[in-house]
Amino acid sequence: MRNYLFLCILLIQTFLIRAQSNEIFVDNLEHTYHLDNKTTEESILLLKTKENTVVSYYDAQHQIKKSFAINNHDSSFKNLIAYSFDKGVAQLFWSTSAKKTLFIQSINLETQEITEKEETYNSKGLLLLTEFSNDSSYFIINLRKNTNVIVIHEFKNDGTFQEYPIDLSNEKFYTLTPTKPFNLQNILSKTTSEDLIPNKIQFIDQKQSTALSLATKLKKAYLKEDQLIITFDFNTNFTDILTIDLDRKSYEKKIVTKPKIAYSSKTSSNSFIHDDFIYQVKA
């Protein structure tokens, strides 16, 4: 609700903006993009019209620092798949509908200087698992279809893009039947009343409060510095934990045992990570 209200305020403010003593009027609005820097709490609002795009740069108090209009880029790059901005420079990563090419747009919010380039990008055959950002990059975590390989796409603050795979073919994950372990693609495709969408990992942003509807998911991901921690709670006796080091491009798999109680068909369990602790519940 807070983000929604803030976006409404930004929209109202931006329809009449004074930038460098000139008024910018926004008409024939086609698309709106709201970009956050969660570390500095600064934000950017992009208002795209048929003629141009208005870029509005806000500080942590939601006051306009800069606002200016830029020319629209090639209309075939419609999808803003990732972004980052740091030290007054925004990096926007656009793709076509076919997702075979990246159009990278670098905008200096102070000088209004813009640089653009294209790079090969192919997401064909990938299933989106989750996405998130840290201080230096925006990450999209995918599963290569019909394999047990996680493919990580990293979009950096310097405007560069990197792709690297994590092969988990030798790892096993468990549900209610310990004698029948699952491979990665099977555990990710599993659905329950808590996890209705297959191949979806709920990312938990620990800098914000977490709704109960999200905390009860059985597939969750957390970010701690350069480590992505993924938990699976389909087994009532323990939590499967997969930790991916985003810097070293390596991983570690371990199991944490849950409290022991008398088992019944109605037994359920889950876990939640906060700071350096894992909290497990079983009932």
Side-chain angles (χ1 to χ4, degrees):
M1 179 62 74
R2 179 178 177 274
N3 287 339
Y4 175 77
L5 291 174
F6 176 48
L7 181 58
C8 290
I9 293 171
L10 292 182
L11 283 169
I12 293 171
Q13 288 181 333
T14 312
F15 270 90
L16 270 177
I17 296 170
R18 289 189 178 275
Q20 298 179 345
S21 302
N22 294 318
E23 288 188 340
I24 296 178
F25 295 90
V26 179
D27 195 13
N28 299 321
L29 186 64
E30 291 186 339
H31 296 287
T32 302
Y33 304 92
H34 181 211
L35 318 178
D36 283 317
N37 184 320
K38 295 180 181 179
T39 302
T40 65
E41 297 186 353
E42 295 175 312
S43 61
I44 301 171
L45 188 66
L46 304 177
L47 301 178
K48 185 176 183 294
T49 71
K50 290 183 178 180
E51 292 76 27
N52 54 33
T53 297
V54 174
V55 180
S56 298
Y57 180 25
Y58 293 81
D59 63 19
Q61 287 71 45
H62 312 323
Q63 300 299 311
I64 296 175
K65 297 178 66 174
K66 292 280 185 177
S67 187
F68 52 93
I70 62 175
N71 294 329
N72 289 337
H73 58 263
D74 186 339
S75 60
S76 63
F77 294 95
K78 298 179 179 179
N79 304 314
L80 181 62
I81 63 171
Y83 71 87
S84 67
F85 68 95
D86 184 49
K87 298 179 181 178
V89 178
Q91 306 289 348
L92 310 180
F93 298 84
W94 305 86
S95 76
T96 60
S97 298
K99 295 184 179 180
K100 292 184 177 180
T101 307
L102 274 182
F103 179 78
I104 304 172
Q105 196 174 35
S106 178
I107 305 174
N108 189 310
L109 299 166
E110 298 294 338
T111 66
Q112 302 178 24
E113 180 183 0
I114 300 173
T115 58
E116 300 171 339
K117 63 180 179 180
E118 292 186 18
E119 284 193 17
T120 301
Y121 172 74
N122 188 2
S123 62
K124 184 178 180 180
L126 299 180
L127 300 171
L128 174 63
L129 300 178
T130 192
E131 52 191 312
F132 55 90
S133 62
N134 62 12
D135 291 345
S136 61
S137 301
Y138 190 97
F139 294 89
I140 297 180
I141 312 299
N142 308 279
L143 176 71
R144 187 170 291 154
K145 287 183 180 179
N146 303 318
T147 74
N148 297 295
V149 177
I150 285 179
V151 179
I152 299 176
H153 287 165
E154 180 179 4
F155 305 86
K156 298 184 178 181
N157 283 350
D158 61 5
T160 59
F161 160 74
Q162 185 178 10
E163 173 183 314
Y164 51 91
I166 302 290
D167 191 346
L168 296 161
S169 299
N170 295 325
E171 300 299 336
K172 300 298 180 183
F173 302 85
Y174 296 92
T175 59
L176 288 176
T177 309
T179 57
K180 298 177 68 175
F182 279 22
N183 58 27
L184 179 66
Q185 62 175 317
N186 287 338
I187 200 75
L188 287 170
S189 65
K190 186 173 174 58
T191 59
T192 65
S193 57
E194 292 84 7
D195 292 73
L196 297 175
I197 305 175
N199 302 306
K200 170 70 174 178
I201 300 175
Q202 180 61 54
F203 181 75
I204 303 297
D205 186 350
Q206 297 193 325
K207 295 180 181 179
Q208 301 182 10
S209 58
T210 302
L212 183 60
S213 59
L214 303 182
T216 55
K217 302 295 185 184
L218 299 181
K219 295 173 289 192
K220 294 189 286 288
Y222 310 81
L223 183 64
K224 182 184 177 184
E225 298 177 350
D226 291 326
Q227 292 188 328
L228 175 65
I229 303 170
I230 302 174
T231 60
F232 300 96
D233 280 286
F234 292 104
N235 190 287
T236 57
N237 293 322
F238 45 75
T239 301
D240 273 310
I241 300 180
L242 175 65
T243 302
I244 299 176
D245 190 311
L246 298 170
D247 185 27
R248 298 180 180 179
K249 282 74 175 177
S250 60
Y251 77 90
E252 178 185 9
K253 167 77 165 52
K254 66 179 180 181
I255 290 174
V256 177
T257 303
K258 293 177 179 176
K260 293 183 179 181
I261 64 172
Y263 175 78
S264 76
S265 60
K266 296 182 180 180
T267 299
S268 62
S269 67
N270 210 326
S271 70
F272 193 85
I273 293 177
H274 183 68
D275 292 334
D276 293 326
F277 300 94
I278 180 169
Y279 299 88
Q280 295 171 307
V281 60
K282 189 173 181 180

